[in-house]
């Protein structure tokens, strides 16, 4: 077997493979002998079918199959040994009326080659790294939310401001029949509030859906309908009152602090606010980090210039899908995927040049951290190491989970590298202003 490469240009090459009978004949003959032993052909005893008949019936199919296996194995080996960085997979060049009976079989494969480029990590322009702070207003709101959540409901005779009213919404035309609880401090419509004030259990009031709440998303839950249906809904619905309650706020005392954070972890209202601020900013850090990673990714894509073997990649997309695409469809698919491909190449180069690797033990520790945070959400704050180890082993036995966690860990490694190398400028900002600035 002889394999040679013809370089077309920096991004395209053709590999030529010449195969002679000596390369495949022994393998073909061995398979045909096995076929002869088991062949069941009318008129012949099993194992006594003439080899000429076996070759006539199965020879060409076996030859094609074995040659294709040889091609695949040796072509992959050649690409590895020659350290050719290819995009996609080699594409066989079409050969009409191919003669499988020739003494030497010749095949050609088109290659798309990865471009050569540099990615300087010290960016020319500084990239904003947000530090999101929990301001006094946010902390005070969270304290009030905790007090409401852990407070108690006291039954009342008639509706007053800031009460909670449980009842059933009905509108026959829209098929609405849903029991819910209204918090008066979340209602925006003054007319609706005036309609409810002073009402008693058993009373029914008619409320307009449009502009009912300060937050539009609440409408779907109180009516028991989808967000899509609630979006432009403009109706009147009857609300029959079944229960009226006043929520008394929980006292900020040691019993509440211990319930929230464990015994003596927090001992005063000031410490509670500091803890809320600390925990909130830790959560905000994840959002800020994701924003930073996205911005650096976009910067590298926009500022790293290199050519791609567009013609080859378009043809590869056209030929290798589940269904063969038209040229126009392949061009459209390439345009959609080009940006992602560019970043894959950029990211791969950064990972290789900075020797970013993932070891099994650090992946397991990363998985344990993820599991621990999940358990904390359900109140399991101090799981045993043995329990974490067992869960992590189960998680890492699933290849899909291994892939997902590996990608997350590599993103964290890249982010750590970027924080060290990239030209950053820090901007301190409240969460509300961050949302406005980033998401509009």
């Amino acid at each position: 077997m002889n394999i040679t490469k013809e370089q077309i240009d920096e991004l395209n090459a053709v590999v030529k493979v010449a195969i002679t009978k000596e390369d495949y004949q022994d393998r073909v003959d061995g398979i045909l002998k096995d076929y002869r032993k088991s062949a069941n052909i009318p008129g012949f005893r099993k194992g006594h079918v003439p080899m000429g008949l076996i070759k006539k019936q199965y020879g060409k199919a076996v030859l094609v199959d074995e040659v294709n296996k040889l091609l695949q194995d040796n072509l992959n080996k050649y690409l590895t040994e020659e350290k050719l960085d290819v995009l996609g997979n080699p594409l066989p060049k079409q050969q009409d009326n191919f003669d499988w009976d020739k003494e030497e079989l010749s095949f050609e494969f088109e290659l798309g080659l990865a471009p050569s480029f540099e990615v300087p990590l010290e960016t020319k322009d500084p990239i904003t790294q947000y530090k999101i702070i929990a301001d006094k207003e946010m902390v005070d709101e969270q304290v009030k939310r905790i007090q409401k959540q852990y407070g108690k409901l006291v039954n009342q005779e008639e509706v007053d401001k800031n009460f909670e009213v449980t009842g059933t919404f009905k509108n026959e035309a829209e098929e609405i029949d849903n029991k819910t609880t209204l918090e008066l401090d979340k209602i925006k419509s003054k007319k609706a509030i005036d309609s409810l004030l002073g009402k008693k259990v058993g009373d029914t009031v008619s409320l307009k859906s449009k502009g009912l709440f300060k937050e539009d998303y609440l409408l779907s839950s109180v009516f028991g309908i989808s967000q899509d249906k609630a979006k432009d809904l403009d109706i009147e619905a009857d609300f029959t009152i079944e229960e009226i309650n006043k929520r008394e706020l929980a006292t900020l005392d040691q019993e509440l602090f211990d319930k929230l954070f464990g015994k003596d972890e927090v001992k005063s209202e000031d410490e509670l606010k500091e803890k809320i601020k600390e925990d909130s900013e830790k959560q905000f850090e994840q959002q800020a980090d994701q924003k930073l990673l996205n911005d650096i990714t976009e910067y590298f894509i926009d500022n790293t210039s290199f050519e791609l073997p567009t013609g080859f990649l378009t043809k590869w997309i056209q030929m290798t899908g589940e269904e063969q695409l038209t040229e126009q469809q392949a061009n459209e698919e390439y345009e959609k995927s080009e940006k992602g491909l560019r970043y894959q190449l950029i990211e791969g180069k950064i990972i290789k040049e900075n020797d970013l690797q993932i070891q099994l033990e650090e992946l397991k520790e990363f998985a344990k951290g993820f599991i621990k945070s999940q358990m904390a959400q359900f109140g399991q704050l101090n799981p045993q190491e043995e329990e974490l180890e067992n869960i992590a082993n189960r998680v890492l036995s699933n290849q899909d989970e291994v892939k997902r966690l590996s990608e997350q860990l590599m993103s964290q490694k890249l982010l750590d590298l970027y924080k060290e190398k990239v030209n950053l400028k820090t901007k301190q900002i409240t969460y509300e202003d961050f949302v406005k600035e980033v998401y509009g």
Side-chain angles (χ1 to χ4, degrees):
M1 181 180 298
N2 185 38
I3 304 179
T4 58
K5 176 171 71 76
E6 178 187 350
Q7 194 76 28
I8 306 301
D9 55 40
E10 288 186 358
L11 300 174
N12 295 276
V14 173
V15 168
K16 299 179 179 181
V17 184
I19 297 179
T20 63
K21 278 193 175 183
E22 287 77 12
D23 296 316
Y24 60 79
Q25 196 62 58
D26 287 346
R27 294 169 67 169
V28 170
D29 288 345
I31 292 170
L32 291 176
K33 285 178 183 177
D34 290 339
Y35 275 25
R36 187 186 182 206
K37 292 176 186 176
S38 58
N40 199 352
I41 295 177
F44 299 95
R45 283 185 298 140
K46 191 173 182 179
H48 289 77
V49 180
M51 180 55 78
L53 186 57
I54 293 292
K55 286 183 178 180
K56 183 177 180 181
Q57 194 158 347
Y58 302 108
K60 182 62 66 68
V62 172
L63 169 64
V64 171
D65 190 45
E66 288 305 306
V67 168
N68 280 328
K69 288 178 184 176
L70 271 175
L71 280 171
Q72 185 173 349
D73 292 345
N74 285 277
L75 187 56
N76 289 337
K77 183 179 177 183
Y78 174 81
L79 296 177
T80 301
E81 289 175 349
E82 295 296 314
K83 297 179 180 178
L84 293 176
D85 193 359
V86 299
L87 302 179
N89 294 311
L91 283 179
K93 293 187 77 171
Q94 187 68 36
Q95 298 184 64
D96 297 328
N97 302 317
F98 188 82
D99 186 0
W100 286 94
D101 295 323
K102 291 175 67 175
E103 288 294 317
E104 182 175 285
L105 304 176
S106 296
F107 303 89
E108 294 186 357
F109 295 87
E110 297 178 61
L111 303 182
L113 305 177
S116 177
F117 59 93
E118 298 297 324
V119 189
L121 292 181
E122 191 170 337
T123 55
K124 181 180 178 182
D125 301 318
I127 295 174
T128 300
Q129 180 180 14
Y130 290 96
K131 178 174 174 53
I132 307 172
I133 61 169
D135 59 8
K136 183 179 182 302
E137 183 181 355
M138 172 178 280
V139 172
D140 288 345
E141 283 180 4
Q142 184 63 20
V143 170
K144 186 62 66 69
R145 194 175 296 119
I146 289 171
Q147 286 183 281
K148 287 181 70 174
Q149 182 180 347
Y150 289 90
K152 63 180 181 179
L153 293 174
V154 180
N155 193 256
Q156 305 292 314
E157 287 191 6
E158 62 180 48
V159 179
D160 203 349
K161 289 182 178 178
N162 300 323
F163 281 10
E164 297 180 15
V165 185
T166 299
T168 299
F169 271 112
K170 288 189 177 182
N171 180 291
E172 192 173 337
E174 297 294 337
E175 298 181 333
I176 293 171
D177 187 349
N178 190 57
K179 184 172 180 176
T180 188
T181 296
L182 297 178
E183 297 179 46
L184 264 66
D185 59 356
K186 293 184 178 178
I187 293 178
K188 178 182 179 182
S189 168
K190 186 176 183 303
K191 187 175 180 182
I193 293 173
D194 290 341
S195 298
L196 288 163
L197 291 177
K199 295 296 186 291
K200 298 181 179 181
V201 171
D203 289 345
T204 298
V205 296
S206 182
L207 301 176
K208 285 182 66 69
S209 62
K210 192 168 184 180
L212 181 58
F213 294 104
K214 295 174 183 177
E215 302 289 346
D216 291 339
Y217 74 88
L218 291 171
L219 191 65
S220 67
S221 61
V222 301
F223 278 3
I225 58 177
S226 69
Q227 288 282 2
D228 286 342
K229 184 175 180 180
K231 187 177 179 182
D232 298 313
L233 193 65
D234 187 4
I235 62 168
E236 288 196 1
D238 290 333
F239 180 68
T240 301
I241 298 172
E242 299 169 22
E243 191 177 333
I244 303 168
N245 291 298
K246 177 182 179 182
R247 186 176 290 274
E248 291 186 353
L249 300 181
T251 304
L252 297 175
D253 57 16
Q254 195 60 48
E255 183 182 353
L256 178 60
F257 301 153
D258 290 349
K259 187 183 292 184
L260 290 170
F261 304 107
K263 186 167 177 58
D264 294 334
E265 288 294 318
V266 170
K267 297 181 179 180
S268 68
E269 185 176 339
D270 286 342
E271 287 186 16
L272 170 66
K273 290 181 177 180
E274 188 56 40
K275 178 68 172 170
I276 290 171
K277 180 178 173 65
E278 180 185 318
D279 289 349
S280 297
E281 290 180 354
K282 194 174 291 184
Q283 291 180 356
F284 296 154
E285 188 177 345
Q286 296 176 0
Q287 288 179 264
D289 279 350
Q290 189 58 57
K291 169 65 175 166
L292 178 62
L293 187 61
N294 292 344
D295 287 348
I296 293 174
T297 297
E298 289 295 327
Y299 179 92
F300 284 146
I301 292 173
D302 292 341
N303 292 275
T304 307
S305 179
F306 53 82
E307 296 296 321
L308 289 169
T310 303
F312 170 84
L313 290 171
T314 303
K315 187 189 292 187
W316 180 73
I317 290 171
Q318 184 180 7
M319 303 296 292
T320 58
E322 291 184 8
E323 295 181 7
Q324 187 166 327
L325 305 178
T326 65
E327 188 174 341
Q328 182 179 344
Q329 288 172 326
N331 283 323
E332 290 170 356
E333 286 299 314
Y334 175 74
E335 287 177 11
K336 291 178 190 174
S337 60
E338 182 185 2
K339 188 174 182 179
L341 174 58
R342 285 183 176 277
Y343 187 66
Q344 283 180 26
L345 292 170
I346 293 168
E347 183 182 74
K349 189 172 184 67
I350 293 171
I351 290 170
K352 183 177 179 181
E353 290 187 346
N354 292 276
D355 196 27
L356 301 182
Q357 299 178 17
I358 293 177
Q359 306 298 334
L360 179 59
E361 279 307 310
E362 66 177 338
L363 183 61
K364 183 182 283 188
E365 288 305 311
F366 184 76
K368 286 181 186 178
F370 180 77
I371 294 162
K372 197 172 180 179
S373 66
Q374 292 289 99
M375 294 174 76
Q377 293 180 20
F378 296 95
Q380 296 176 265
L381 300 177
N382 295 300
Q384 296 295 314
E385 178 62 26
E386 183 180 355
E387 183 181 11
L388 284 174
E389 181 80 14
N390 290 336
I391 297 173
N393 286 335
R394 287 202 301 272
V395 168
L396 295 177
S397 67
N398 182 318
Q399 289 305 305
D400 289 337
E401 286 298 306
V402 170
K403 182 174 182 292
R404 184 178 66 83
L405 289 168
S406 296
E407 288 172 351
Q408 290 181 2
L409 179 54
M410 183 54 73
S411 290
Q412 186 59 55
K413 284 176 172 282
L414 285 166
L415 185 62
D416 292 341
L417 176 69
Y418 295 157
K419 286 182 177 180
E420 179 186 346
K421 301 287 187 181
V422 171
N423 182 12
L424 302 176
K425 61 177 181 181
T426 302
K427 182 173 183 178
Q428 190 166 290
I429 193 170
T430 67
Y431 182 72
E432 185 179 353
D433 289 340
F434 173 79
V435 171
K436 287 178 183 175
E437 186 167 320
V438 172
Y439 303 109

